[in-house]
Structure formats: C-alpha cells, structure tokens
Amino acid sequence: PALVALLLDTGRLTVGVGDSGVSGTLSTNIGRWRPTVQPSETGIVVQQGSIGSGRIPGGQNQWDIRLGADAPISLTTNTGRAEARMELGGLALAALEVTSEGGSLNLGFRQALAQPARRLILNTGQTDLTATGLLNADFAELSLLSGSGQHLISFDGAGLSRTANGRIELGSGALTLRADPDVRVRITFRSTVGRVQRVDSSAFVSLGGGVYETVTTATDPEAPLLTLEIFSTSADLTLEGV
C-alpha cells in the first residue's frame, strides 16, 4: 500500500474519501505554519511548518484532505493539539496509525472498507475521542493507548468476518464502549481505582472477575470473536448496546 502521512500540530484536520490519489486544500494565515508536501515513490508526506510552535492568537490552520478509494493505502496522522475529524469508510485502508496529544479526535467508518485493515493504532494524550463504525474496518488488531479524556468507542457496522483482538490502556477519564449484541465480543476489564459504572443488560452479561460478553455469545459459539483487554488506572467503563 502507498504510505500517506498527515502531520498537523495546530488547527483543524478533516479527512474524507475521494476518487483517486491524495487531494485537498491547505490554508493558513501564519507564514511559518505553511505546509510542505513531499511525494516519493512509496507515498506522500504532508507536514505543517514549525510543528511544535504552539498556538498563536488569531492563527488559523485548516486542512481538508481527500484520499482516493481506488488503491490501497497505509495512513499515519499526527494531529498534535489540533481538532481532527476523519471519515474513512470505503477506503482500501491496509493500516491506520493515529497520534493526538490533545484536542479532539473523531474517527468514523460509515461503510465497509474496500479491503480488511490489518491493524488500527490510536495513541492519544489529553484527547476526547469518538470512534464509530469500527466493525466496518474489519481489523485484525486494535490498539488504543490514552492518557486522559472522554472516550466513546462503538463496535458497530457490517459485523465480524474473522477473529480479532484489541488492547485498550487508559489513564484517567471515562470510556463508553458500545457493541452490537449480535456480534461476539468478550471484554476483560482491569483497573487500579476505576470502576464499571453501568452495564446494559440487554447487550452484555457479566461472567464475573471483570469479564463481560455480549448476550449472543452463548447462542452462537462458532461465530468470529472480538476479544478486548482493557486496562485502566482510574478511568471508568460503561458498556452499552448499539
């Protein structure tokens, strides 16, 4: 797959699906934030100038990017303290790695990917995260490492076509995890001081010892299984159906 890297420290990033290649508009009113675009034989890197320069009063930085759905890509984004909204459904997305130090991150898959993703990696600091339609990504591995923030992760979409694994490590804040009761999901929750605040009994059943499964597990034991291990320092967990 072609490598696509979007490196934006301050401002707002919007990513959507286009027809072909990488296209979009990059606009800023700060000269030293002017981005560079570096194409190569293996892909493209789009990078904000003077990354790490911090916020500037009155500074504006807006990136609107479209990624072509006609060829496989491996996408890396680092949005620093920016606000990011990415709708990636329909792409031939082989892998995704997202890093955010702060701000907000909204990641969605409204439709199934054109090919299954190998892995989804999300690294966030003090970031409010919303990730929806994750089953449409058809991933094999999911990793979320977060410092703090409010998190909503929704395993909805086309369903599971294969066994998948995920590991979520949280510091402080809260996680609301939603899953389709018709999909086999097994969750193991471990925490230093965090608690399970609420469990939707129409979607999940407790097996004891911090282990929860979707209610469909017992009735369809041969279906593909999504196994999630959640480790928390002080973040609380809420389990809901979709």
Side-chain angles (χ1 to χ4, degrees):
L3 305 178
V4 178
L6 306 175
L7 311 179
L8 170 69
D9 182 71
T10 304
R12 181 173 298 173
L13 170 67
T14 302
V15 180
V17 180
D19 294 327
S20 180
V22 180
S23 60
T25 302
L26 315 174
S27 60
T28 181
N29 62 352
I30 304 298
R32 66 173 184 255
W33 286 353
R34 184 181 298 276
T36 59
V37 180
Q38 305 169 30
S40 69
E41 292 183 356
T42 58
I44 187 170
V45 177
V46 184
Q47 181 170 354
Q48 175 186 329
S50 297
I51 284 185
S53 60
R55 297 184 182 277
I56 297 177
Q60 298 177 14
N61 200 25
Q62 174 73 46
W63 291 13
D64 294 302
I65 305 291
R66 294 292 177 269
L67 304 177
D70 59 331
I73 65 170
S74 180
L75 175 62
T76 297
T77 69
N78 189 329
T79 55
R81 296 171 298 277
E83 299 177 6
R85 180 176 293 271
M86 295 184 283
E87 173 51 54
L88 306 180
L91 289 176
L93 188 64
L96 173 68
E97 183 169 357
V98 175
T99 301
S100 171
E101 297 175 12
S104 62
L105 172 61
N106 191 306
L107 174 66
F109 298 88
R110 294 179 184 171
Q111 57 180 324
L113 293 181
Q115 71 172 46
R118 294 193 304 271
R119 61 186 181 275
L120 305 180
I121 301 175
L122 310 177
N123 298 311
T124 65
Q126 297 176 334
T127 305
D128 291 333
L129 167 66
T130 299
T132 58
L134 288 177
L135 294 185
N136 282 334
D138 197 12
F139 61 87
E141 299 178 14
L142 169 70
S143 172
L144 167 61
L145 178 61
S146 175
S148 65
Q150 301 298 310
H151 306 81
L152 170 62
I153 300 179
S154 182
F155 294 96
D156 60 300
L160 274 179
S161 66
R162 55 179 170 172
T163 295
N165 300 288
R167 182 181 179 89
I168 299 174
E169 297 185 28
L170 306 170
S172 60
L175 168 63
T176 298
L177 190 149
R178 296 175 179 170
D180 185 343
D182 291 330
V183 175
R184 294 184 68 206
V185 180
R186 179 179 298 137
I187 296 168
T188 301
F189 179 69
R190 300 283 185 268
S191 179
T192 306
V193 295
R195 300 177 298 170
V196 177
Q197 292 282 22
R198 185 172 63 86
V199 177
D200 182 352
S201 60
S202 67
F204 288 92
V205 59
S206 173
L207 302 183
V211 180
Y212 301 85
E213 291 187 353
T214 44
V215 294
T216 192
T217 301
T219 59
D220 189 8
E222 301 302 321
L225 174 66
L226 169 60
T227 303
L228 297 172
E229 294 184 351
I230 303 176
F231 300 88
S232 157
T233 301
S234 61
D236 294 331
L237 174 66
T238 297
L239 299 176
E240 299 179 345
V242 294

